[in-house]
Amino acid sequence: MQIPFLRRLDAPGVVVPGRSVGGQRRSSRRVIGQVAEVVDGAADVVAQWPVR
């Protein structure tokens, strides 16, 4: 999972990571795993679309 992708999900509030004392984003492995499952599932659906 690329860090810029997680940042893009944070901006609209899709994934809201915790913050460290220094203000850095802290995403749990559970949340990253859930996002990865959704992305992988979406890739499978897109791969089945007919190409025109």
Side-chain angles (χ1 to χ4, degrees), residues 3-52:
I3 293 170
F5 179 70
L6 291 172
R7 285 188 193 129
R8 285 193 301 267
L9 294 178
D10 181 23
V14 174
V15 175
V16 181
R19 297 284 178 165
S20 70
V21 176
Q24 294 179 331
R25 292 173 181 86
R26 304 288 295 184
S27 297
S28 69
R29 291 182 190 273
R30 180 183 60 83
V31 170
I32 291 172
Q34 290 173 336
V35 170
E37 285 181 29
V38 170
V39 169
D40 289 344
D44 292 341
V45 170
V46 170
Q48 296 174 11
W49 286 354
V51 178
R52 295 180 182 183

